[in-house]
Amino acid sequence: MRAKSAEDWIKEAALSSADYLFPSRQSGSPHLSARQYARIVKRWIKLMGADPQEYGTHSLRRTKATLIDRQTKNLRAVQRLLGHRKIESTVRYLGVEVDDALDIAEHIEC
């Protein structure tokens, strides 16, 4: 069986931009539940040969945000990706050092 890309899946499922990428199989919900998503992630981690107890949906989300921040130094973009309303929330979430946060805050227009 060939692994499908997201693009292949979108075409096969005939999804529009208004559709969820991963619709629910439950009739009452248009998208996957957080619990179902967590099960899928655990299964992927097992398939990679890693310990599923060491990884989770939140740690992967935070890791991706941290990598984007380190590579781009664009805290505003990370804030938007995470859906945070306040830049301070993003700074706390990423664990940015206070001195770094002050420097970043001075260079961000509100």
PDB file of all heavy atoms in Angstrom, residues 30-59:
ATOM      1  N   PRO A  30     -18.402  17.073  12.799  1.00  0.00           N
ATOM      2  CA  PRO A  30     -17.812  17.266  11.470  1.00  0.00           C
ATOM      3  C   PRO A  30     -16.309  16.959  11.409  1.00  0.00           C
ATOM      4  O   PRO A  30     -15.748  16.829  10.329  1.00  0.00           O
ATOM      5  CB  PRO A  30     -18.061  18.747  11.188  1.00  0.00           C
ATOM      6  CG  PRO A  30     -18.106  19.376  12.549  1.00  0.00           C
ATOM      7  CD  PRO A  30     -18.691  18.335  13.461  1.00  0.00           C
ATOM      8  N   HIS A  31     -15.646  16.862  12.565  1.00  0.00           N
ATOM      9  CA  HIS A  31     -14.194  16.646  12.570  1.00  0.00           C
ATOM     10  C   HIS A  31     -13.805  15.614  13.628  1.00  0.00           C
ATOM     11  O   HIS A  31     -14.601  15.252  14.485  1.00  0.00           O
ATOM     12  CB  HIS A  31     -13.461  17.962  12.833  1.00  0.00           C
ATOM     13  CG  HIS A  31     -13.888  18.624  14.117  1.00  0.00           C
ATOM     14  ND1 HIS A  31     -13.445  18.212  15.343  1.00  0.00           N
ATOM     15  CD2 HIS A  31     -14.739  19.640  14.339  1.00  0.00           C
ATOM     16  CE1 HIS A  31     -14.001  18.962  16.286  1.00  0.00           C
ATOM     17  NE2 HIS A  31     -14.797  19.836  15.701  1.00  0.00           N
ATOM     18  N   LEU A  32     -12.570  15.159  13.555  1.00  0.00           N
ATOM     19  CA  LEU A  32     -12.046  14.216  14.541  1.00  0.00           C
ATOM     20  C   LEU A  32     -12.111  14.824  15.935  1.00  0.00           C
ATOM     21  O   LEU A  32     -11.888  16.023  16.109  1.00  0.00           O
ATOM     22  CB  LEU A  32     -10.577  13.905  14.266  1.00  0.00           C
ATOM     23  CG  LEU A  32     -10.230  13.028  13.086  1.00  0.00           C
ATOM     24  CD1 LEU A  32      -8.721  12.898  12.985  1.00  0.00           C
ATOM     25  CD2 LEU A  32     -10.859  11.672  13.199  1.00  0.00           C
ATOM     26  N   SER A  33     -12.328  13.991  16.915  1.00  0.00           N
ATOM     27  CA  SER A  33     -12.259  14.466  18.298  1.00  0.00           C
ATOM     28  C   SER A  33     -10.796  14.544  18.706  1.00  0.00           C
ATOM     29  O   SER A  33      -9.915  13.932  18.083  1.00  0.00           O
ATOM     30  CB  SER A  33     -12.992  13.496  19.224  1.00  0.00           C
ATOM     31  OG  SER A  33     -12.283  12.267  19.304  1.00  0.00           O
ATOM     32  N   ALA A  34     -10.547  15.291  19.760  1.00  0.00           N
ATOM     33  CA  ALA A  34      -9.181  15.385  20.284  1.00  0.00           C
ATOM     34  C   ALA A  34      -8.686  14.007  20.703  1.00  0.00           C
ATOM     35  O   ALA A  34      -7.514  13.666  20.518  1.00  0.00           O
ATOM     36  CB  ALA A  34      -9.132  16.360  21.456  1.00  0.00           C
ATOM     37  N   ARG A  35      -9.568  13.210  21.258  1.00  0.00           N
ATOM     38  CA  ARG A  35      -9.191  11.859  21.701  1.00  0.00           C
ATOM     39  C   ARG A  35      -8.814  10.965  20.520  1.00  0.00           C
ATOM     40  O   ARG A  35      -7.833  10.230  20.570  1.00  0.00           O
ATOM     41  CB  ARG A  35     -10.347  11.241  22.502  1.00  0.00           C
ATOM     42  CG  ARG A  35     -10.014   9.911  23.094  1.00  0.00           C
ATOM     43  CD  ARG A  35      -8.942  10.060  24.180  1.00  0.00           C
ATOM     44  NE  ARG A  35      -8.237   8.821  24.306  1.00  0.00           N
ATOM     45  CZ  ARG A  35      -6.915   8.676  24.258  1.00  0.00           C
ATOM     46  NH1 ARG A  35      -6.136   9.721  24.140  1.00  0.00           N
ATOM     47  NH2 ARG A  35      -6.353   7.508  24.352  1.00  0.00           N
ATOM     48  N   GLN A  36      -9.591  11.038  19.446  1.00  0.00           N
ATOM     49  CA  GLN A  36      -9.283  10.230  18.266  1.00  0.00           C
ATOM     50  C   GLN A  36      -7.963  10.672  17.639  1.00  0.00           C
ATOM     51  O   GLN A  36      -7.143   9.849  17.235  1.00  0.00           O
ATOM     52  CB  GLN A  36     -10.408  10.316  17.229  1.00  0.00           C
ATOM     53  CG  GLN A  36     -10.181   9.427  16.023  1.00  0.00           C
ATOM     54  CD  GLN A  36     -10.061   7.950  16.363  1.00  0.00           C
ATOM     55  OE1 GLN A  36     -10.637   7.473  17.335  1.00  0.00           O
ATOM     56  NE2 GLN A  36      -9.296   7.212  15.595  1.00  0.00           N
ATOM     57  N   TYR A  37      -7.733  11.980  17.593  1.00  0.00           N
ATOM     58  CA  TYR A  37      -6.470  12.500  17.074  1.00  0.00           C
ATOM     59  C   TYR A  37      -5.301  11.982  17.915  1.00  0.00           C
ATOM     60  O   TYR A  37      -4.277  11.552  17.378  1.00  0.00           O
ATOM     61  CB  TYR A  37      -6.507  14.032  17.067  1.00  0.00           C
ATOM     62  CG  TYR A  37      -5.204  14.684  16.707  1.00  0.00           C
ATOM     63  CD1 TYR A  37      -4.629  14.497  15.451  1.00  0.00           C
ATOM     64  CD2 TYR A  37      -4.529  15.471  17.628  1.00  0.00           C
ATOM     65  CE1 TYR A  37      -3.425  15.097  15.127  1.00  0.00           C
ATOM     66  CE2 TYR A  37      -3.327  16.073  17.298  1.00  0.00           C
ATOM     67  CZ  TYR A  37      -2.784  15.876  16.054  1.00  0.00           C
ATOM     68  OH  TYR A  37      -1.585  16.459  15.735  1.00  0.00           O
ATOM     69  N   ALA A  38      -5.458  11.983  19.235  1.00  0.00           N
ATOM     70  CA  ALA A  38      -4.401  11.487  20.128  1.00  0.00           C
ATOM     71  C   ALA A  38      -4.117  10.010  19.859  1.00  0.00           C
ATOM     72  O   ALA A  38      -2.951   9.586  19.854  1.00  0.00           O
ATOM     73  CB  ALA A  38      -4.795  11.703  21.585  1.00  0.00           C
ATOM     74  N   ARG A  39      -5.163   9.227  19.611  1.00  0.00           N
ATOM     75  CA  ARG A  39      -4.963   7.796  19.301  1.00  0.00           C
ATOM     76  C   ARG A  39      -4.171   7.621  18.010  1.00  0.00           C
ATOM     77  O   ARG A  39      -3.292   6.758  17.912  1.00  0.00           O
ATOM     78  CB  ARG A  39      -6.318   7.095  19.178  1.00  0.00           C
ATOM     79  CG  ARG A  39      -7.001   6.830  20.465  1.00  0.00           C
ATOM     80  CD  ARG A  39      -8.254   5.970  20.240  1.00  0.00           C
ATOM     81  NE  ARG A  39      -9.117   6.072  21.378  1.00  0.00           N
ATOM     82  CZ  ARG A  39     -10.314   6.656  21.391  1.00  0.00           C
ATOM     83  NH1 ARG A  39     -10.819   7.165  20.300  1.00  0.00           N
ATOM     84  NH2 ARG A  39     -11.018   6.711  22.494  1.00  0.00           N
ATOM     85  N   ILE A  40      -4.495   8.422  17.011  1.00  0.00           N
ATOM     86  CA  ILE A  40      -3.789   8.344  15.726  1.00  0.00           C
ATOM     87  C   ILE A  40      -2.316   8.694  15.911  1.00  0.00           C
ATOM     88  O   ILE A  40      -1.428   8.004  15.409  1.00  0.00           O
ATOM     89  CB  ILE A  40      -4.457   9.272  14.689  1.00  0.00           C
ATOM     90  CG1 ILE A  40      -5.832   8.720  14.309  1.00  0.00           C
ATOM     91  CG2 ILE A  40      -3.574   9.429  13.452  1.00  0.00           C
ATOM     92  CD1 ILE A  40      -6.695   9.690  13.511  1.00  0.00           C
ATOM     93  N   VAL A  41      -2.039   9.760  16.649  1.00  0.00           N
ATOM     94  CA  VAL A  41      -0.652  10.174  16.895  1.00  0.00           C
ATOM     95  C   VAL A  41       0.103   9.066  17.628  1.00  0.00           C
ATOM     96  O   VAL A  41       1.238   8.740  17.279  1.00  0.00           O
ATOM     97  CB  VAL A  41      -0.588  11.509  17.663  1.00  0.00           C
ATOM     98  CG1 VAL A  41       0.816  11.802  18.165  1.00  0.00           C
ATOM     99  CG2 VAL A  41      -1.090  12.644  16.779  1.00  0.00           C
ATOM    100  N   LYS A  42      -0.518   8.465  18.640  1.00  0.00           N
ATOM    101  CA  LYS A  42       0.131   7.363  19.377  1.00  0.00           C
ATOM    102  C   LYS A  42       0.470   6.214  18.425  1.00  0.00           C
ATOM    103  O   LYS A  42       1.548   5.623  18.501  1.00  0.00           O
ATOM    104  CB  LYS A  42      -0.783   6.841  20.497  1.00  0.00           C
ATOM    105  CG  LYS A  42      -1.016   7.823  21.615  1.00  0.00           C
ATOM    106  CD  LYS A  42       0.162   7.893  22.543  1.00  0.00           C
ATOM    107  CE  LYS A  42      -0.163   8.800  23.717  1.00  0.00           C
ATOM    108  NZ  LYS A  42       1.014   9.208  24.432  1.00  0.00           N
ATOM    109  N   ARG A  43      -0.449   5.905  17.511  1.00  0.00           N
ATOM    110  CA  ARG A  43      -0.210   4.830  16.556  1.00  0.00           C
ATOM    111  C   ARG A  43       0.965   5.170  15.639  1.00  0.00           C
ATOM    112  O   ARG A  43       1.815   4.332  15.355  1.00  0.00           O
ATOM    113  CB  ARG A  43      -1.479   4.578  15.736  1.00  0.00           C
ATOM    114  CG  ARG A  43      -1.441   3.261  15.002  1.00  0.00           C
ATOM    115  CD  ARG A  43      -2.762   2.856  14.359  1.00  0.00           C
ATOM    116  NE  ARG A  43      -3.912   3.588  14.848  1.00  0.00           N
ATOM    117  CZ  ARG A  43      -4.838   4.158  14.060  1.00  0.00           C
ATOM    118  NH1 ARG A  43      -4.744   4.072  12.755  1.00  0.00           N
ATOM    119  NH2 ARG A  43      -5.864   4.797  14.570  1.00  0.00           N
ATOM    120  N   TRP A  44       1.046   6.424  15.177  1.00  0.00           N
ATOM    121  CA  TRP A  44       2.160   6.846  14.323  1.00  0.00           C
ATOM    122  C   TRP A  44       3.481   6.726  15.065  1.00  0.00           C
ATOM    123  O   TRP A  44       4.485   6.298  14.505  1.00  0.00           O
ATOM    124  CB  TRP A  44       1.974   8.276  13.867  1.00  0.00           C
ATOM    125  CG  TRP A  44       0.885   8.507  12.857  1.00  0.00           C
ATOM    126  CD1 TRP A  44       0.289   7.581  12.039  1.00  0.00           C
ATOM    127  CD2 TRP A  44       0.265   9.746  12.547  1.00  0.00           C
ATOM    128  NE1 TRP A  44      -0.659   8.179  11.252  1.00  0.00           N
ATOM    129  CE2 TRP A  44      -0.697   9.515  11.543  1.00  0.00           C
ATOM    130  CE3 TRP A  44       0.424  11.041  13.026  1.00  0.00           C
ATOM    131  CZ2 TRP A  44      -1.485  10.516  11.009  1.00  0.00           C
ATOM    132  CZ3 TRP A  44      -0.366  12.048  12.490  1.00  0.00           C
ATOM    133  CH2 TRP A  44      -1.300  11.781  11.495  1.00  0.00           C
ATOM    134  N   ILE A  45       3.482   7.110  16.324  1.00  0.00           N
ATOM    135  CA  ILE A  45       4.713   7.054  17.122  1.00  0.00           C
ATOM    136  C   ILE A  45       5.164   5.607  17.283  1.00  0.00           C
ATOM    137  O   ILE A  45       6.353   5.300  17.156  1.00  0.00           O
ATOM    138  CB  ILE A  45       4.502   7.761  18.473  1.00  0.00           C
ATOM    139  CG1 ILE A  45       4.341   9.273  18.226  1.00  0.00           C
ATOM    140  CG2 ILE A  45       5.646   7.481  19.431  1.00  0.00           C
ATOM    141  CD1 ILE A  45       3.829  10.047  19.406  1.00  0.00           C
ATOM    142  N   LYS A  46       4.221   4.711  17.526  1.00  0.00           N
ATOM    143  CA  LYS A  46       4.558   3.280  17.621  1.00  0.00           C
ATOM    144  C   LYS A  46       5.137   2.763  16.312  1.00  0.00           C
ATOM    145  O   LYS A  46       6.106   2.005  16.303  1.00  0.00           O
ATOM    146  CB  LYS A  46       3.317   2.463  17.982  1.00  0.00           C
ATOM    147  CG  LYS A  46       2.913   2.534  19.414  1.00  0.00           C
ATOM    148  CD  LYS A  46       1.687   1.658  19.650  1.00  0.00           C
ATOM    149  CE  LYS A  46       1.123   1.849  21.028  1.00  0.00           C
ATOM    150  NZ  LYS A  46      -0.117   1.078  21.229  1.00  0.00           N
ATOM    151  N   LEU A  47       4.531   3.178  15.184  1.00  0.00           N
ATOM    152  CA  LEU A  47       5.013   2.742  13.876  1.00  0.00           C
ATOM    153  C   LEU A  47       6.446   3.210  13.612  1.00  0.00           C
ATOM    154  O   LEU A  47       7.198   2.546  12.901  1.00  0.00           O
ATOM    155  CB  LEU A  47       4.092   3.262  12.767  1.00  0.00           C
ATOM    156  CG  LEU A  47       2.734   2.569  12.652  1.00  0.00           C
ATOM    157  CD1 LEU A  47       1.828   3.317  11.687  1.00  0.00           C
ATOM    158  CD2 LEU A  47       2.903   1.121  12.208  1.00  0.00           C
ATOM    159  N   MET A  48       6.817   4.343  14.191  1.00  0.00           N
ATOM    160  CA  MET A  48       8.191   4.850  14.035  1.00  0.00           C
ATOM    161  C   MET A  48       9.164   4.122  14.948  1.00  0.00           C
ATOM    162  O   MET A  48      10.370   4.326  14.859  1.00  0.00           O
ATOM    163  CB  MET A  48       8.252   6.347  14.350  1.00  0.00           C
ATOM    164  CG  MET A  48       7.515   7.200  13.365  1.00  0.00           C
ATOM    165  SD  MET A  48       7.633   8.984  13.653  1.00  0.00           S
ATOM    166  CE  MET A  48       7.916   9.167  15.378  1.00  0.00           C
ATOM    167  N   GLY A  49       8.640   3.322  15.859  1.00  0.00           N
ATOM    168  CA  GLY A  49       9.500   2.601  16.779  1.00  0.00           C
ATOM    169  C   GLY A  49       9.833   3.378  18.037  1.00  0.00           C
ATOM    170  O   GLY A  49      10.718   2.984  18.798  1.00  0.00           O
ATOM    171  N   ALA A  50       9.149   4.482  18.255  1.00  0.00           N
ATOM    172  CA  ALA A  50       9.396   5.299  19.449  1.00  0.00           C
ATOM    173  C   ALA A  50       8.398   4.915  20.544  1.00  0.00           C
ATOM    174  O   ALA A  50       7.410   4.229  20.297  1.00  0.00           O
ATOM    175  CB  ALA A  50       9.261   6.781  19.113  1.00  0.00           C
ATOM    176  N   ASP A  51       8.672   5.372  21.739  1.00  0.00           N
ATOM    177  CA  ASP A  51       7.811   5.091  22.884  1.00  0.00           C
ATOM    178  C   ASP A  51       6.661   6.095  22.909  1.00  0.00           C
ATOM    179  O   ASP A  51       6.893   7.293  23.113  1.00  0.00           O
ATOM    180  CB  ASP A  51       8.622   5.198  24.175  1.00  0.00           C
ATOM    181  CG  ASP A  51       7.813   4.893  25.420  1.00  0.00           C
ATOM    182  OD1 ASP A  51       6.592   4.646  25.316  1.00  0.00           O
ATOM    183  OD2 ASP A  51       8.410   4.893  26.512  1.00  0.00           O
ATOM    184  N   PRO A  52       5.426   5.655  22.721  1.00  0.00           N
ATOM    185  CA  PRO A  52       4.293   6.573  22.696  1.00  0.00           C
ATOM    186  C   PRO A  52       4.047   7.290  24.024  1.00  0.00           C
ATOM    187  O   PRO A  52       3.357   8.305  24.051  1.00  0.00           O
ATOM    188  CB  PRO A  52       3.102   5.706  22.316  1.00  0.00           C
ATOM    189  CG  PRO A  52       3.540   4.319  22.408  1.00  0.00           C
ATOM    190  CD  PRO A  52       5.035   4.282  22.450  1.00  0.00           C
ATOM    191  N   GLN A  53       4.639   6.793  25.098  1.00  0.00           N
ATOM    192  CA  GLN A  53       4.495   7.476  26.392  1.00  0.00           C
ATOM    193  C   GLN A  53       5.347   8.743  26.462  1.00  0.00           C
ATOM    194  O   GLN A  53       5.139   9.587  27.313  1.00  0.00           O
ATOM    195  CB  GLN A  53       4.877   6.527  27.539  1.00  0.00           C
ATOM    196  CG  GLN A  53       3.981   5.311  27.641  1.00  0.00           C
ATOM    197  CD  GLN A  53       2.516   5.684  27.829  1.00  0.00           C
ATOM    198  OE1 GLN A  53       2.188   6.544  28.632  1.00  0.00           O
ATOM    199  NE2 GLN A  53       1.651   5.027  27.083  1.00  0.00           N
ATOM    200  N   GLU A  54       6.323   8.854  25.560  1.00  0.00           N
ATOM    201  CA  GLU A  54       7.214  10.006  25.576  1.00  0.00           C
ATOM    202  C   GLU A  54       6.756  11.139  24.667  1.00  0.00           C
ATOM    203  O   GLU A  54       7.351  12.211  24.656  1.00  0.00           O
ATOM    204  CB  GLU A  54       8.625   9.570  25.167  1.00  0.00           C
ATOM    205  CG  GLU A  54       9.272   8.660  26.187  1.00  0.00           C
ATOM    206  CD  GLU A  54      10.693   8.306  25.829  1.00  0.00           C
ATOM    207  OE1 GLU A  54      11.319   9.043  25.025  1.00  0.00           O
ATOM    208  OE2 GLU A  54      11.182   7.300  26.340  1.00  0.00           O
ATOM    209  N   TYR A  55       5.717  10.907  23.865  1.00  0.00           N
ATOM    210  CA  TYR A  55       5.244  11.906  22.917  1.00  0.00           C
ATOM    211  C   TYR A  55       3.726  12.018  22.994  1.00  0.00           C
ATOM    212  O   TYR A  55       3.043  11.051  23.284  1.00  0.00           O
ATOM    213  CB  TYR A  55       5.623  11.522  21.474  1.00  0.00           C
ATOM    214  CG  TYR A  55       7.097  11.365  21.273  1.00  0.00           C
ATOM    215  CD1 TYR A  55       7.715  10.120  21.425  1.00  0.00           C
ATOM    216  CD2 TYR A  55       7.877  12.459  20.937  1.00  0.00           C
ATOM    217  CE1 TYR A  55       9.080   9.978  21.232  1.00  0.00           C
ATOM    218  CE2 TYR A  55       9.242  12.318  20.749  1.00  0.00           C
ATOM    219  CZ  TYR A  55       9.830  11.074  20.899  1.00  0.00           C
ATOM    220  OH  TYR A  55      11.175  10.939  20.716  1.00  0.00           O
ATOM    221  N   GLY A  56       3.249  13.181  22.694  1.00  0.00           N
ATOM    222  CA  GLY A  56       1.808  13.391  22.660  1.00  0.00           C
ATOM    223  C   GLY A  56       1.483  14.542  21.737  1.00  0.00           C
ATOM    224  O   GLY A  56       2.362  15.227  21.214  1.00  0.00           O
ATOM    225  N   THR A  57       0.208  14.773  21.539  1.00  0.00           N
ATOM    226  CA  THR A  57      -0.207  15.822  20.624  1.00  0.00           C
ATOM    227  C   THR A  57       0.282  17.189  21.088  1.00  0.00           C
ATOM    228  O   THR A  57       0.730  18.004  20.273  1.00  0.00           O
ATOM    229  CB  THR A  57      -1.735  15.839  20.467  1.00  0.00           C
ATOM    230  OG1 THR A  57      -2.338  15.987  21.758  1.00  0.00           O
ATOM    231  CG2 THR A  57      -2.230  14.551  19.842  1.00  0.00           C
ATOM    232  N   HIS A  58       0.229  17.441  22.369  1.00  0.00           N
ATOM    233  CA  HIS A  58       0.658  18.746  22.867  1.00  0.00           C
ATOM    234  C   HIS A  58       2.161  18.933  22.738  1.00  0.00           C
ATOM    235  O   HIS A  58       2.632  19.994  22.317  1.00  0.00           O
ATOM    236  CB  HIS A  58       0.227  18.950  24.320  1.00  0.00           C
ATOM    237  CG  HIS A  58       0.596  20.304  24.828  1.00  0.00           C
ATOM    238  ND1 HIS A  58       1.686  20.520  25.634  1.00  0.00           N
ATOM    239  CD2 HIS A  58       0.055  21.523  24.602  1.00  0.00           C
ATOM    240  CE1 HIS A  58       1.781  21.805  25.895  1.00  0.00           C
ATOM    241  NE2 HIS A  58       0.810  22.435  25.284  1.00  0.00           N
ATOM    242  N   SER A  59       2.933  17.917  23.072  1.00  0.00           N
ATOM    243  CA  SER A  59       4.386  18.064  22.976  1.00  0.00           C
ATOM    244  C   SER A  59       4.818  18.254  21.524  1.00  0.00           C
ATOM    245  O   SER A  59       5.743  19.017  21.240  1.00  0.00           O
ATOM    246  CB  SER A  59       5.111  16.871  23.606  1.00  0.00           C
ATOM    247  OG  SER A  59       4.853  15.686  22.892  1.00  0.00           O
TER     248      SER A  59
END
